[in-house]
Amino acid sequence: MASNPVIPKTIGTRVKRREDPRLITGQATYVDDLRLPGMLYLSVLRSMYAHAKLGKIDTSKAKALPGVVAVVTGADLKGKVGPVPCPAAMPELKMPEQPVLAIGKVRYVGEPVAAVVATSAYVARDALDLIEVDYDPLEAAVDVEKAAETGAPVLYDEFGDNVAFRAPVANPAVDEAFKKADRVVKLRIEQQRVIPMAMEPRGVVAQWDRGQKSLTVWSSTQIPHLLRSQLAESFKLPEIKVRVIAPEVGGGFGAKLNVYREELLVPYLSMTLGKPVKWTQARREDMAATTHGRGQVEYVELACKNDGTMTAMRCKIYADLGAYLQFFTAGIAGFTSLLMHGCYKIPAIAWETIGVFTNKMSTDAYRGAGRPEAAFMAERMADEVAAELGLDPVAVRRKNFIPKEAFPYATPGGLMFDSGDYEKSLAKALEIVGYDKLRKEQAELRKQGKYIGIGVSTYLEICGLGPSVLLPPKLKAGGWESSTVRMDPGGTVTVLTGASPHGQGQETSFAQIVSDQLGVGLDDVLVLHGDTAIVQAGVGTFGSRGTALGGTALVMALEKVKTKIKSIASHMMESPPDNLELGGGNVFLKGSPDKALPLAKVVEAAFGMKAGIPNLEPGLEATSYYEPNNCLYPFGAHIAVVEVDADTGQVKFRRYVAVDDCGNQINPMLVEGQVHGGIAQGVGQAMFEAAVYDESGQLVSGSLMDYAVPKAAMIPTLELDSTVTPTPVNPLGVKGVGEAGTIGSTPAVVNAVIDALRPLGVKTIDMPLWPEKVWRAIQAAKGGKS
Amino acid sequence: MKVAGTYTIAAPREQVWRFLIDPERLAHCIPGAGKLEKIGENEYAGEINVGLAAVKGLYNGKVKLEDLQPPKHYRIVVDGKGKQGFIKGSGTMDLEEQEGKTLIRYAGDAQIGGPLASVGQRMIDGAAKTMITQFFTAMEAEVTAAPGEVVRQGIFLNLWRYFLKRLRELFGLG
Amino acid sequence: MRKVTITVNGERQASEIEPRLLLVHYLRDVLGLTGTHVGCETSLCGACTVRLNGDAVKSCTVLAVQADGGEVTTIEGLAANGKLHALQDGFWEEHGLQCGYCTPGMIMAASQLLERNPNPSDDEIRHGLEGNLCRCTGYQHIVNAVKHAAKKLSAAR
Amino acid sequence: MIPAPFEYHAPTSLDDALKLLGSLGDGAKLLAGGHSLLPALKLRLQSVDHLIDIGRVASLRYVREQDGKIAIGALSTHRAIESTALVRDKCPLLAECAAQIGDVQVRNRGTIGGSLSHADPAADYPAAILALEAEIDAASAKGKRTIAAADFFVDMLTTALKPGEIVTEVRVPVLAKGTGGTYLKVPQPASGFAVVGVAALVTLDGSGQVSRARIGITGAAVKGYRALDAEKALAGKKPDAAVVKSAAALATKGVETTGDIWASSEYRAHLTQVYAERAITAALTRARG
């Protein structure tokens, strides 16, 4: 395939999105927009306690409220529905059972305790206030390091302690290198918990068809097919009796890449009550009870020579898992450790990951999922090496880059980097920002008492999962994606994709691929997704895989369709198929576009069957599945320039430059959009966002009153550019760009702030860089105790 | 959340102590509290309408006095639950006699949970400070009242008393 | 229950509603105008922004009874005679949206912004949209979209 | 997201509103713009039996000059205050303050009367109202009275308003030549409330000495307050940088600052002093013309 690259036509151009007309006119249908006859409304009562024994739950008053149809508790559901499926499997992983509604104990604030079904959402909400629950509060395990210690309050008595897994990967070469090192730099890094906060909260509608004995579930999910398989298994229904629809989905960022309790609860209630049931999450529920991201404490050490050459790296990662295991909860830290060296040629690495249960919401994938943590580690350490040795941070990076000649590059963690040219993207970013001049300006301004900081991040990530072995073993899907291409009798093209985009724009980029390959207009292509009754099979959209995997499956299916088109045309044009090409709505002889047959005639022949072609199978349709043989490794260079107000600790952006390399770009406008959005979330983590739990496990930043999602004026104007280093892994040469911005930006911002304050002696500040923390770091440094 | 501070009451320690272990008079001074029922040795239960103006809620509360060392020290454990959340806390009161007045040192730690905590964190510290001030002001009025005198409590009256006290202190009249 | 008459997108609507019904629920559940979204419950995200008597308001923080006798414009009523509003066009041209959830509120807020300031700077746009959160775009394309619309509107004047 | 049920009343005159308020008693609550009350109702942090929507009392919606002052009807929105030429020209401090409240949509609906009555410790108005020594009129079935700004903010979420009283008008002075004011704020990045907000108003005499200084502070403590010590430290002085700095250092003297996740009590006090310095400096620049 790699030898047959796609000829670019609309590919590489800024095609306007085909999804937009319905979205800008208010005509799109999100889950909460569904109205079904006889629909009932579900409201969920959630625990106010982080850790408590559940006593009596009195639902009698709620049941008596007019309009209330049913009230259920964990006891009512026991043995009937649940537990929540989890595909995780690691050696010696402790796997707690996650009931649909709490049984016996609650383990985080927001855990579902009871549910009300009523004839209106207002009544359902009123009824919640009438449910009385006896809690016997227990001490909560909140801090991840303390929770790992013996003597900490234990979430699961049956496990004895809170350590879910301990995965040490020792390497004698690392110890050896540290012994020989000229210098060793160390950092403790806190990756605070953040809340994904898709603008559309989660929602589920379920409709049980009594006649057909079939279930239809609309869910705001990134993985409709996976959800169908899990629902079928949970309800012991054949998959043909379960249809899952992900209608318009208002963002996911990894938080909708899961099967949640409500996705079992709502269908169960629809099945038992015989009516459609709808549940829409309120924002505070979303913040408390949709998976969180990050949540790691890392102890990192790096050995280097006096010239800045990095020789070995090791880290110990405490992963704050939260109270239950969701799909990827246990696996995220694995990505962090595998990529801890970033884009640097560090010969030896070692790590230990410790997964710890805490009385908080589960952590799971959030834009980047493990890689932002890794990039942060590598990029912060690169700056620390530079500071330790008095070198320029850029020089240290250049000294240690994996050179472009080294690809494919086998990493010490056992990965195979596909392609890269780290120097190129860095050089471009430096040029745009005017690095040398900026450094001079910085020195000048320092003399005037102004603290300007320049933060460089040359990130690297892994995406496009990928070879199936990298996904959780018990996941009911591999690392593939699928596509069907079907030409319609009138000459239009319907594409079915197993990817399930929710803002990324694949209805457009996939139409571009089809348009270029078949020579049809963009308006003649319809891309369908997100409905298991329409789309053959699929895995979903996450991990920057949509275009790389779904797009490649599409190219493969198109190849098959094209072969058939050419074969039909060859009969009609009396020319061998190899001599034919498609373009401009025609099939034509290579080199002679004037000798053309309208594609419509071929389609007519395939559907009308009147051209007298022997042995022709009617129709023009093909399906392909694509599983890559390797992952993809996008990279780039981000440079943040900030000014710190040393009197208050406030940080202001002066510039932000990003040069990203995601291989070939189908639609540069969509790529830009992904990078912009990614950077905003990365800046959000660096400067504003934190899921703050207090000592007793209360989520005190549990609403938008205190959880600071960046607003427009908080994000700087972004100066973007790109380099193009195609991957040899897939025929499109594309990598993936959904997460790149998030991964690259966080360390750039933090490095910039530390860089600004370096003369004062500040070495590290934990994220988010709230003014008080920055101010305190300055005060401490001034007092000589940084 | 941790709170700590001192408050001086113009009354002898014995008198303050008697007040502090009298649930009925105590309840009279807890902002929003109704009648406290005795449910055990030094343990009382009742309804408290806690909060400030716009954000008020009804809590079912329990108060327990522990580690009683008359007339100088005890520990108070409070546990309240309502629709808007819960409050669970404990604190110590240490009484020191100072020339006929009593210096009260209080220190406590409270957990506030539920909806209150998830949207109201910015107000909690201020609310606690406000309510503590209200409590002590009310208490002072109660403690220093003549026997048999019924003290009218209420937020405005107590705040007024508080300001008068501050004024007196300011001008060295306290 | 209370009777209200509200003109929504130019059509008079008479309904009998509970006083506690929020304007956003009235629009979505009573009138079926689901283009206006609910994104938070603390009056901060702006996804529910509509125009009420000309003002951009968060329809989650207005009771429907407060709008009695008033005029409401929602995203569904923005395009005139089947022609997209300059802002709708701008958001489409400049890729000012991804998942689309914040978009109706963002566009409605931007429509007020451009009425008050027909030629805003980047900074004025960013501050003028402080009541609307977007989690996808990083706002840059939104700023471009508003500028695009401003240009188009001033050319039409 | 869904308020508990209540009875709804929509009087169209102040008299009717006062009658309702008088007759319905404790279970009744006034609804003006609703941007303090409705969020609390939606979160069920508060519930009411009766909601008296005074939004239709048109007589409380005005901004006009009268007797050398600017009179603002209680139902004037923040937007009206920020955008009315009269306020912008003659009392820019207040316009600046109004312009920094919440966001555009909030300012379109929220009212000065509602905000003041709610007395949120981190609301913006208290700083400006205190610095301007505004007068606040309150009406009840029994009559009308005027409350001085200094007496209005009693405690956290608590004002000097008595049960049955409605704020009807706020009066601020027309600022004379030689007087400069500004409102500077550190917005909490999520909610937009003031972590700290400082309103500084200074008047310089012919010799360039401070003849009068008023500093209102919000966000820092349980209620808005005047930084009297800082004001005193400026009065009668030639305000060079050192004088301003030492005056600003007194901005939290005797005040117990509050703490939350965004700013501890200690940091808030520090921030108040830094912003007081900046606000005073900016006000002086304006006073000098």
Side-chain angles (χ1 to χ4, degrees):
Chain A
M1 293 287 302
S3 60
N4 183 18
V6 173
I7 303 154
K9 286 169 198 162
T10 68
I11 289 182
T13 66
R14 302 171 72 89
V15 172
K16 266 165 67 178
R17 289 214 316 179
R18 310 185 53 69
E19 359 336 52
D20 288 2
R22 64 179 186 265
L23 296 167
I24 54 178
T25 53
Q27 302 302 319
T29 306
Y30 298 85
V31 174
D32 194 36
D33 300 340
L34 289 167
R35 305 279 181 279
L36 302 176
M39 191 154 79
L40 301 173
Y41 297 81
L42 177 82
S43 202
V44 179
L45 183 72
R46 293 174 187 277
S47 171
M48 292 199 278
Y49 292 88
H51 199 191
K53 277 189 195 146
L54 262 182
K56 188 172 172 282
I57 305 177
D58 183 353
T59 60
S60 57
K61 283 185 203 153
K63 280 178 177 157
L65 186 73
V68 169
V69 177
V71 183
V72 291
T73 66
D76 301 323
L77 304 186
K78 205 169 179 178
K80 294 176 184 155
V81 58
V84 178
C86 177
M90 292 163 71
E92 291 168 47
L93 174 68
K94 289 170 190 160
M95 176 74 80
E97 201 162 89
Q98 183 175 187
V100 170
L101 294 173
I103 295 169
K105 234 185 177 194
V106 288
R107 293 185 178 85
Y108 65 93
V109 168
E111 178 161 4
V113 170
V116 174
V117 183
T119 50
S120 88
Y122 277 49
V123 172
R125 174 64 189 85
D126 290 344
L128 291 188
D129 283 349
L130 301 174
I131 300 173
E132 278 159 27
V133 185
D134 283 341
Y135 295 99
D136 183 5
L138 300 166
E139 223 183 299
V142 181
D143 177 89
V144 64
E145 291 177 88
K146 285 186 197 153
E149 290 168 8
T150 37
V154 174
L155 272 79
Y156 300 93
D157 294 336
E158 59 270 37
F159 296 154
D161 63 25
N162 295 321
V163 176
F165 66 85
R166 203 178 271 274
V169 176
N171 181 352
V174 169
D175 301 334
E176 197 57 32
F178 269 88
K179 267 182 221 154
K180 285 189 194 151
D182 292 337
R183 303 282 182 98
V184 171
V185 289
K186 296 179 184 183
L187 267 186
R188 177 184 183 275
I189 294 172
E190 241 182 83
Q191 283 282 342
Q192 85 273 28
R193 273 177 176 248
V194 289
I195 299 179
M197 246 291 303
M199 286 307 296
E200 182 209 21
R202 291 189 292 120
V204 182
V205 172
Q207 184 171 35
W208 173 247
D209 183 324
R210 284 180 163 166
Q212 305 263 19
K213 297 217 177 311
S214 70
L215 178 68
T216 303
V217 174
W218 291 260
S219 182
S220 182
T221 181
Q222 301 173 227
I223 45 166
H225 286 89
L226 267 170
L227 177 58
R228 178 182 63 161
S229 300
Q230 296 291 2
L231 288 177
E233 185 182 75
S234 287
F235 291 111
K236 301 186 177 59
L237 290 167
E239 278 173 314
I240 48 172
K241 292 291 184 187
V242 182
R243 176 183 184 185
V244 172
I245 300 170
E248 208 72 63
V249 173
F253 313 113
K256 294 174 181 172
L257 161 57
N258 238 309
V259 172
Y260 284 96
R261 298 179 190 224
E262 297 88 353
E263 285 171 314
L264 299 180
L265 178 61
V266 178
Y268 170 79
L269 290 167
S270 178
M271 290 165 82
T272 48
L273 299 170
K275 294 222 170 138
V277 177
K278 183 205 264 193
W279 169 75
T280 305
Q281 202 176 33
R283 179 54 68 192
R284 279 178 304 163
E285 287 184 280
D286 170 66
M287 299 182 78
T290 293
T291 55
H292 293 172
R294 318 289 184 254
Q296 292 183 5
V297 173
E298 303 144 353
Y299 291 86
V300 199
E301 296 181 353
L302 196 145
C304 62
K305 295 187 193 164
N306 280 330
D307 68 355
T309 306
M310 302 172 181
T311 54
M313 191 174 176
R314 61 186 171 207
C315 70
K316 182 174 183 179
I317 302 175
Y318 288 91
D320 178 356
L321 305 177
Y324 296 92
L325 295 181
Q326 291 281 353
F327 266 37
F328 301 96
T329 305
I332 304 282
F335 275 133
T336 307
S337 45
L338 280 177
L339 282 181
M340 64 194 241
H341 52 75
C343 53
Y344 308 116
K345 198 171 178 171
I346 303 178
I349 60 170
W351 66 83
E352 181 180 14
T353 51
I354 303 157
V356 186
F357 292 118
T358 55
N359 287 112
K360 297 185 259 184
M361 181 58 201
S362 309
T363 49
D364 202 306
Y366 168 57
R367 207 165 191 171
R371 294 98 85 197
E373 295 92 319
F376 192 86
M377 221 188 262
E379 293 309 301
R380 286 289 298 117
M381 292 310 275
D383 265 33
E384 285 314 301
V385 168
E388 174 76 20
L389 298 171
L391 300 170
D392 188 291
V394 168
V396 168
R397 285 173 169 79
R398 285 184 157 146
K399 178 145 215 103
N400 290 286
F401 274 156
I402 299 161
K404 71 174 178 191
E405 304 77 37
F407 294 90
Y409 171 80
T411 75
L415 302 169
M416 184 64 78
F417 286 179
D418 56 345
S419 65
D421 189 345
Y422 309 139
E423 171 56 36
K424 195 172 166 188
S425 54
L426 175 60
K428 200 164 191 175
L430 292 172
E431 193 195 316
I432 295 169
V433 85
Y435 186 72
D436 296 333
K437 207 176 140 216
L438 256 184
R439 282 286 177 207
K440 279 180 201 134
E441 195 189 337
Q442 179 187 38
E444 277 307 306
L445 288 168
R446 270 180 187 162
K447 286 180 204 156
Q448 300 168 26
K450 281 196 169 183
Y451 295 95
I452 306 299
I454 306 162
V456 179
S457 147
T458 46
Y459 76 92
L460 161 113
E461 71 129 331
I462 178 171
C463 76
L465 293 178
S468 300
V469 290
L470 289 172
L471 287 164
K474 290 193 282 176
L475 195 73
K476 288 182 173 293
W480 47 266
E481 201 45 270
S482 82
S483 186
T484 292
V485 174
R486 185 173 72 222
M487 289 209 71
D488 309 310
T492 54
V493 186
T494 302
V495 173
L496 314 178
T497 175
S500 192
H502 40 281
Q504 293 84 351
Q506 267 98 7
E507 289 177 34
T508 305
S509 54
F510 284 9
Q512 288 178 257
I513 294 173
V514 172
S515 167
D516 283 13
Q517 293 260 320
L518 295 183
V520 297
L522 288 167
D523 288 343
D524 292 330
V525 186
L526 175 69
V527 179
L528 296 175
H529 57 83
D531 184 341
T532 61
I534 292 175
V535 175
Q536 59 291 335
V539 180
T541 290
F542 53 90
S544 304
R545 71 198 300 279
T547 304
L549 273 63
T552 301
L554 171 60
V555 169
M556 289 163 65
L558 282 166
E559 280 302 322
K560 294 180 191 166
V561 170
K562 271 160 67 181
T563 303
K564 186 162 177 185
I565 289 171
K566 286 180 188 171
S567 137
I568 297 170
S570 116
H571 282 279
M572 300 170 77
M573 298 172 79
E574 295 175 348
S575 173
D578 286 354
N579 207 21
L580 299 177
E581 268 185 63
L582 278 76
N586 293 324
V587 185
F588 57 88
L589 294 186
K590 266 184 192 163
S592 319
D594 51 321
K595 292 189 180 141
L597 174 73
L599 184 57
K601 292 277 173 201
V602 180
V603 177
E604 199 181 301
F607 284 93
M609 296 300 285
K610 298 183 184 78
I613 300 166
N615 302 322
L616 175 65
E617 182 188 344
L620 265 175
E621 178 173 340
T623 295
S624 286
Y625 286 69
Y626 169 66
E627 194 217 9
N629 57 19
N630 192 5
C631 294
L632 306 163
Y633 298 88
F635 58 91
H638 286 214
I639 301 179
V641 186
V642 302
E643 179 171 351
V644 182
D645 179 339
D647 290 335
T648 61
Q650 291 158 334
V651 176
K652 246 197 233 150
F653 281 99
R654 287 166 75 101
R655 297 274 299 277
Y656 195 102
V657 172
V659 176
D660 296 271
D661 191 323
C662 60
N664 290 331
Q665 302 184 7
I666 310 279
N667 185 331
M669 187 170 79
L670 301 187
V671 170
E672 262 175 32
Q674 287 298 312
V675 174
H676 286 157
I679 292 173
Q681 286 181 359
V683 168
Q685 187 188 0
M687 301 216 355
F688 308 111
E689 300 179 32
V692 181
Y693 283 89
D694 72 7
E695 288 169 358
S696 62
Q698 293 293 324
L699 178 58
V700 294
S701 60
S703 80
L704 286 174
M705 290 293 288
D706 284 294
Y707 191 84
V709 170
K711 300 170 186 171
M714 290 150 74
I715 299 294
T717 297
L718 308 173
E719 304 168 53
L720 300 195
D721 208 328
S722 57
T723 56
V724 177
T725 309
T727 177
V729 173
N730 62 58
L732 287 162
V734 299
K735 289 187 173 179
V737 73
E739 294 150 295
T742 314
I743 296 164
S745 56
T746 313
V749 174
V750 175
N751 277 343
V753 173
I754 303 290
D755 182 63
L757 301 177
R758 194 79 76 177
L760 296 174
V762 173
K763 185 180 165 181
T764 182
I765 308 172
D766 285 332
M767 295 184 290
L769 302 178
W770 287 356
E772 177 165 5
K773 286 200 216 172
V774 177
W775 177 74
R776 284 194 183 279
I778 296 168
Q779 299 308 307
K782 279 181 177 166
K785 37 177 187 160
S786 176
Chain B
M1 183 196 49
K2 288 184 170 49
V3 289
T6 59
Y7 197 92
T8 307
I9 288 187
R13 182 160 74 167
E14 275 297 335
Q15 204 172 322
V16 175
W17 175 261
R18 278 202 306 277
F19 163 81
L20 280 173
I21 54 169
D22 180 342
E24 206 167 300
R25 295 172 72 202
L26 203 57
H28 200 198
C29 297
I30 297 172
K35 205 171 150 55
L36 288 179
E37 303 276 338
K38 187 167 174 136
I39 55 168
E41 178 66 21
N42 290 323
E43 198 173 357
Y44 311 91
E47 273 190 348
I48 310 181
N49 194 12
V50 190
L52 297 163
V55 185
K56 230 173 203 168
L58 203 59
Y59 293 78
N60 280 307
K62 267 188 232 166
V63 179
K64 196 176 176 187
L65 305 182
E66 293 176 346
D67 191 20
L68 275 80
Q69 301 167 24
K72 57 178 206 279
H73 171 93
Y74 73 53
R75 204 171 111 85
I76 181 165
V77 182
V78 181
D79 195 343
K81 263 183 230 169
K83 286 296 162 208
Q84 294 150 3
F86 67 86
I87 296 171
K88 199 169 162 305
S90 64
T92 53
M93 295 261 197
D94 286 285
L95 275 56
E96 221 173 278
E97 179 109 26
Q98 283 186 341
E99 297 162 17
K101 293 184 197 170
T102 308
L103 174 76
I104 304 177
R105 284 179 205 285
Y106 62 92
D109 195 355
Q111 291 177 11
I112 289 135
L116 266 184
S118 74
V119 294
Q121 75 80 22
R122 74 187 173 95
M123 298 255 197
I124 284 172
D125 184 37
K129 283 179 173 147
T130 306
M131 286 190 279
I132 288 168
T133 306
Q134 285 179 17
F135 169 75
F136 281 115
T137 313
M139 169 179 166
E140 180 156 37
E142 191 81 31
V143 171
T144 54
E149 180 190 343
V150 178
V151 179
R152 285 184 56 214
Q153 305 284 12
I155 181 164
F156 291 102
L157 280 169
N158 292 335
L159 286 165
W160 179 239
R161 285 187 190 112
Y162 173 70
F163 289 129
L164 281 181
K165 179 186 162 75
R166 288 295 300 269
L167 273 177
R168 280 201 307 269
E169 281 166 1
L170 222 56
F171 294 105
L173 305 171
Chain C
M1 298 300 266
R2 206 177 165 94
K3 269 194 186 142
V4 294
T5 307
I6 304 173
T7 302
V8 180
N9 298 331
E11 270 179 54
R12 268 170 72 89
Q13 307 280 357
S15 327
E16 199 157 314
I17 56 171
E18 260 192 287
R20 63 167 164 161
L21 184 69
L22 302 172
L23 180 59
V24 67
H25 290 145
Y26 168 76
L27 294 169
R28 291 176 53 79
D29 299 336
V30 178
L31 302 186
L33 294 170
T34 56
T36 303
H37 300 144
V38 178
C40 76
E41 43 185 346
T42 46
S43 316
L44 286 162
C45 84
C48 63
T49 302
V50 300
R51 304 286 295 270
L52 170 59
N53 301 327
D55 289 332
V57 303
K58 294 182 177 174
S59 61
C60 76
T61 313
V62 178
L63 299 171
V65 287
Q66 288 179 284
D68 186 17
E71 282 188 27
V72 174
T73 307
T74 70
I75 188 71
E76 289 95 337
L78 198 60
N81 312 319
K83 199 171 166 291
L84 290 181
H85 185 278
L87 274 163
Q88 291 171 315
D89 199 56
F91 272 71
W92 192 8
E93 282 291 334
E94 297 291 338
H95 189 29
L97 62 147
Q98 290 177 29
C99 83
Y101 198 78
C102 76
T103 310
M106 195 68 82
I107 290 179
M108 296 313 288
S111 70
Q112 169 128 81
L113 170 74
L114 288 184
E115 281 171 23
R116 288 178 178 174
N117 183 358
N119 187 22
S121 67
D122 282 24
D123 212 40
E124 285 168 337
I125 295 170
R126 286 180 187 272
H127 280 103
L129 295 176
E130 68 202 330
N132 293 72
L133 296 178
C134 168
R135 195 58 157 162
C136 293
T137 63
Y139 301 102
Q140 189 139 325
H141 281 162
I142 292 179
V143 173
N144 295 351
V146 176
K147 282 203 289 193
H148 180 104
K151 240 180 245 162
K152 208 169 150 178
L153 287 169
S154 66
R157 262 190 294 270
Chain D
M1 183 68 197
I2 298 168
F6 49 77
E7 294 273 323
Y8 176 78
H9 310 270
T12 52
S13 74
L14 180 61
D15 279 351
D16 289 351
L18 290 171
K19 267 181 217 150
L20 276 166
L21 193 58
S23 65
L24 295 171
D26 272 359
K29 185 92 188 152
L30 293 172
L31 178 74
H35 277 56
S36 301
L37 181 58
L38 288 178
L41 290 177
K42 284 188 334 185
L43 297 167
R44 298 204 179 197
L45 291 174
Q46 191 177 14
S47 60
V48 294
D49 301 328
H50 296 274
L51 200 59
I52 304 171
D53 177 3
I54 55 170
R56 290 168 201 279
V57 180
S59 64
L60 295 180
R61 229 176 257 275
Y62 56 85
V63 180
R64 62 188 174 225
E65 194 166 357
Q66 95 193 10
D67 307 330
K69 293 200 166 178
I70 301 169
I72 300 165
L75 285 183
S76 302
T77 59
H78 313 323
R79 166 69 190 167
I81 292 166
E82 118 190 55
S83 63
T84 303
L86 176 64
V87 185
R88 294 171 72 103
D89 296 344
K90 299 196 172 175
C91 191
L93 167 58
L94 186 65
E96 259 175 37
C97 175
Q100 292 182 58
I101 298 172
D103 54 50
V104 176
Q105 293 97 315
V106 168
R107 296 197 291 276
N108 280 342
R109 292 289 295 173
T111 67
I112 188 166
S115 173
L116 292 178
S117 306
H118 183 60
D120 192 296
D124 295 287
Y125 280 136
I129 291 296
L130 285 162
L132 290 164
E133 296 177 288
E135 294 167 334
I136 297 153
D137 282 353
S140 71
K142 291 177 205 150
K144 201 177 109 175
R145 64 175 178 134
T146 298
I147 307 168
D151 301 329
F152 188 79
F153 303 102
V154 170
D155 210 334
M156 190 175 193
L157 302 172
T158 310
T159 66
L161 290 171
K162 292 180 188 149
E165 278 189 327
I166 298 178
V167 171
T168 54
E169 184 179 287
V170 178
R171 280 183 303 282
V172 294
V174 168
L175 300 184
K177 203 171 159 357
T179 297
T182 194
Y183 175 67
L184 286 187
K185 165 187 184 182
V186 181
Q188 197 256 59
S191 68
F193 275 103
V195 175
V196 169
V198 181
L201 188 71
V202 290
T203 304
L204 294 174
D205 62 17
S207 66
Q209 283 186 342
V210 176
S211 59
R212 195 160 163 280
R214 295 290 180 266
I215 297 161
I217 289 171
T218 191
V222 293
K223 59 166 186 158
Y225 67 93
R226 283 252 307 270
L228 297 170
D229 290 299
E231 292 176 4
K232 264 184 235 155
L234 287 170
K237 302 262 171 63
K238 216 162 186 105
D240 60 18
V243 167
V244 172
K245 198 176 180 71
S246 57
L250 302 172
T252 53
K253 197 179 165 200
V255 173
E256 205 177 350
T257 48
T258 50
D260 74 345
I261 61 171
W262 294 96
S264 66
S265 165
E266 183 196 2
Y267 177 66
R268 216 178 218 103
H270 167 76
L271 209 54
T272 307
Q273 292 164 25
V274 172
Y275 269 70
E277 184 182 348
R278 293 176 184 180
I280 296 166
T281 306
L284 283 168
T285 307
R286 290 186 179 178
R288 290 181 187 116

